[in-house]
Amino acid sequence: MASLAEENYLKLIYHLSGSGAEEVSTNALAEQTQTRAASVTDMLRKLADKNLVHYKKYQGVRLTQDGQEVALQVIRRHRLWEVFMVEKLGFRWDEVHPIAEELEHIASEELINRLDAFLGFPVSDPHGDPIPTAAGAMPSAEYEKLCEVTAGQQVTMMGVLEHAASFLQFLSKAGLIPGSVVSVLEINDFDRSMILKINESAPSFVSYEVARNILIKFSV
Amino acid sequence: MASLAEENYLKLIYHLSGSGAEEVSTNALAEQTQTRAASVTDMLRKLADKNLVHYKKYQGVRLTQDGQEVALQVIRRHRLWEVFMVEKLGFRWDEVHPIAEELEHIASEELINRLDAFLGFPVSDPHGDPIPTAAGAMPSAEYEKLCEVTAGQQVTMMGVLEHAASFLQFLSKAGLIPGSVVSVLEINDFDRSMILKINESAPSFVSYEVARNILIKFSV
DNA sequence: ATAAAAATTTAGGCGAGCCTAAATTTTTAT
DNA sequence: ATAAAAATTTAGGCTCGCCTAAATTTTTAT
Ligand SMILES: [Mn+2]
Ligand SMILES: [Mn+2]
Ligand SMILES: [Mn+2]
Ligand SMILES: [Mn+2]
């Protein structure tokens, strides 16, 4: 029903709206899609005609119920394929996103549900992002950012906010991957950088910029 | 490089030309692509401009070396995904073709080579069709048709020439799948229908039309 | 409150891949 | 050898997603 271009817009609107909470601007969409604002306007009119978005001229855009269902479906496919590539094909977590951008448009529901079962119904992808269920529910994982942890506390690494390959590669080198146990040894007041103990290895340093993009949960 | 539509034309030209042996006519392509002859002519001009086919007006079309490489690449992807769906996801052999028609256009070579390894480098797909290698070589399997076997001989089922789901379902019910051992008990002179013994089960009847679409090799 | 700046939409156009209708070329039948 | 039939190409047009340039609306600054 929704074309490849339409699916990409819906997914992007979902992400930029903060899971549907706020209106998304034409310019924000143009920037992320690498297209011009005029092209975005064209597409928003088409999505509105198909009842996939609420759109009033100059007022920004929001997903309808139908639009959100399509977006979650696409996100589900994307994340399941990422799990497949990492768990079954041996890809690294910094390699899979561009390929998942293509695979996420394969429409067969039978395929994706069988893939889900084959993978053992994973609840999150290699980057710690939650995987929507077949029914279209997004598991809400409420994590903190590493930069908000105080010195002396122990936490578990749960995911990332930034998905750039270079960032992911840096984290791998530091041993900072989902599941890693992290103790905050010291916080530098001046630049908010941290010294961490990661999984029993020697202390390592991370900048505030890095800590701000790492999701954690407090160890119980 | 080649668009989805171009990949589909190249693959189809490969198949209709009998693996590149003969010229393919505009009308033959129009029939298979479910488009009009005028549209095919448009596309052939574009493929010729990209040096993917040899094309002279009114003379039919043939793949170039480059075109054949693309075609074999697409066929490789199609058949590997079919193996994946049947072997790993539990699909039946009559269900996978339409989904593979979409998956075959996912371009990543890294993905397809890792999939190949994950599947154990299969040499043929669920329908018995050979899988081109990463290097682009098509393993030539020289099989006979079941309709050419004489009474009293024992053969092994190796594949099919017809891929329609209804035909495949019929074969499954009869136990006629790749690997099955088949003895020809009787051949009816009048309509060339056969009575077969398949894998030790009770004798079953197949029409000439069916036998003509089954590939076999003689048991040694 | 108003003018400048920024954001957004409208207008007109382009390539890909398809269409119908009308030529044109090739093949087949006499 | 020629005329009818079949196959193919050309001409002109359509939709989808995109573009640039110009208008319009909203926001920000004074
Ligand atoms: Mn991703
Ligand atoms: Mn991810
Ligand atoms: Mn197939
Ligand atoms: Mn097949």
Side-chain angles (χ1 to χ4, degrees), chain B residues 19-38:
Chain B
S19 308
E22 312 142 37
E23 310 274 326
V24 179
S25 75
T26 300
N27 268 2
L29 289 166
E31 188 181 334
Q32 292 291 315
T33 54
Q34 304 264 57
T35 62
R36 299 312 179 129

Side-chain angles (χ1 to χ4, degrees), chain B residues 11-119:
Chain B
K11 183 183 58 155
L12 184 58
I13 293 168
Y14 180 87
H15 284 134
L16 290 180
S17 70
S19 308
E22 312 142 37
E23 310 274 326
V24 179
S25 75
T26 300
N27 268 2
L29 289 166
E31 188 181 334
Q32 292 291 315
T33 54
Q34 304 264 57
T35 62
R36 299 312 179 129
S39 308
V40 173
T41 300
D42 279 353
M43 181 57 92
L44 294 184
R45 278 202 338 96
K46 275 189 284 195
L47 292 173
D49 288 348
K50 289 192 172 187
N51 258 294
L52 293 166
V53 299
H54 296 297
Y55 172 56
K56 271 169 295 180
K57 288 203 299 190
Y58 297 101
Q59 311 285 307
V61 73
R62 204 182 258 277
L63 294 177
T64 61
Q65 184 60 40
D66 283 4
Q68 185 170 74
E69 278 166 25
V70 174
L72 287 172
Q73 184 71 22
V74 175
I75 293 167
R76 169 172 162 81
R77 295 182 208 138
H78 182 108
R79 293 179 179 171
L80 282 172
W81 282 117
E82 285 190 344
V83 173
F84 170 68
M85 287 188 273
V86 169
E87 296 295 318
K88 302 294 184 179
L89 301 188
F91 277 97
R92 297 190 314 266
W93 72 335
D94 58 283
E95 298 177 310
V96 295
H97 180 76
I99 307 176
E101 286 292 305
E102 293 186 57
L103 285 163
E104 73 187 6
H105 301 291
I106 305 294
S108 169
E109 225 176 289
E110 180 79 7
L111 173 66
I112 212 66
N113 290 339
R114 281 181 183 267
L115 179 66
D116 194 12
F118 179 61
L119 298 173

Side-chain angles (χ1 to χ4, degrees), chain A residues 53-109:
Chain A
V53 299
H54 297 298
Y55 172 58
K56 272 169 295 179
K57 288 202 299 190
Y58 297 101
Q59 311 285 307
V61 74
R62 207 181 256 279
L63 294 176
T64 62
Q65 185 59 41
D66 283 5
Q68 185 170 75
E69 279 167 25
V70 174
L72 287 172
Q73 185 69 21
V74 175
I75 293 167
R76 170 174 162 80
R77 294 181 208 139
H78 182 108
R79 293 180 179 169
L80 283 173
W81 283 117
E82 285 190 345
V83 173
F84 171 68
M85 286 188 274
V86 169
E87 296 295 317
K88 301 295 183 180
L89 300 189
F91 277 98
R92 296 190 314 264
W93 70 336
D94 59 282
E95 298 177 309
V96 294
H97 179 76
I99 306 176
E101 287 292 305
E102 293 186 57
L103 285 163
E104 73 187 7
H105 301 291
I106 305 294
S108 168
E109 226 175 290

